[in-house]
Amino acid sequence: MDDPSRPHIDRERAVTDAAKEISDLMFRYAELFDTGRFDEFAQLFEHGRWHKAEPGAAATREWIGEHVRLYDGQTRTKHVTTNVVVDVDESADTATASAYVTIFQAAPNFPLQPIFAGRYQDRLARIDGRWWFTERIVINDLYGDISRHVKYAPATAAP
């Protein structure tokens, strides 16, 4: 016998699975950046735009190379992503997501400290069965000393 509630249950399961895949993608973003795997990080934006970079993976990778300070190939950062909220439109294969982010950094002559607190606002699309960022906006709420993180920051004070 057919269960008339089954399509509703299947839709709920699909949305739940999509939300998990998207939140995993958001956490993967932090891991790749913090471990200096910038080519893989940039690939997350093959179908979209990251932060201040032009659209696409190549532009994302170029922006990192031009603006992010590295220490033996590493950023010496830890992104802590919390308060993740995902809204999936299963029929359109699109989603939006938001999260809080706090970035910690420890570098030579720079003890571990928070350097940034803000929010992510994401747009995503499912392409060939996989979720991709189509846009990640980084909202800057609070700054610490970012001078050891990005090349355009003042050397003595946070903006």
Side-chain angles (χ1 to χ4, degrees):
M1 179 180 280
D2 289 336
D3 180 352
S5 68
R6 187 74 189 165
H8 176 72
I9 293 169
D10 290 343
R11 277 193 303 275
E12 283 183 11
R13 182 172 296 127
V15 168
T16 300
D17 290 348
K20 166 94 171 65
E21 291 170 19
I22 290 166
S23 63
D24 287 352
L25 176 64
M26 296 168 79
F27 298 135
R28 182 89 171 134
Y29 165 103
E31 176 189 7
L32 293 172
F33 194 92
D34 291 338
T35 58
R37 293 160 57 193
F38 301 119
D39 291 339
E40 291 175 76
F41 175 87
Q43 282 304 124
L44 300 177
F45 297 92
E46 182 63 29
H47 301 283
R49 181 181 181 153
W50 172 66
H51 189 41
K52 296 178 181 180
E54 292 298 318
T60 298
R61 183 64 184 94
E62 181 179 345
W63 195 96
I64 291 168
E66 291 176 357
H67 296 94
V68 176
R69 293 188 186 278
L70 300 178
Y71 305 86
D72 295 324
Q74 302 289 308
T75 60
R76 304 292 311 251
T77 57
K78 291 295 177 196
H79 287 64
V80 179
T81 309
T82 62
N83 300 41
V84 174
V85 176
V86 178
D87 184 23
V88 177
D89 183 341
E90 190 65 34
S91 64
D93 284 335
T94 61
T96 58
S98 63
Y100 284 8
V101 60
T102 303
I103 304 172
F104 294 89
Q105 186 177 34
N109 300 313
F110 189 74
L112 179 64
Q113 59 191 277
I115 62 167
F116 176 88
R119 294 168 283 142
Y120 294 139
Q121 291 183 340
D122 300 330
R123 293 187 185 282
L124 305 105
R126 186 169 31 217
I127 301 168
D128 296 329
R130 179 177 167 194
W131 286 99
W132 295 86
F133 289 106
T134 57
E135 180 180 45
R136 169 158 272 189
I137 297 171
V138 180
I139 299 169
N140 310 320
D141 291 326
L142 303 170
Y143 278 112
D145 183 346
I146 61 169
S147 65
R148 275 97 174 165
H149 182 50
V150 289
K151 296 174 184 176
Y152 53 83
T156 58

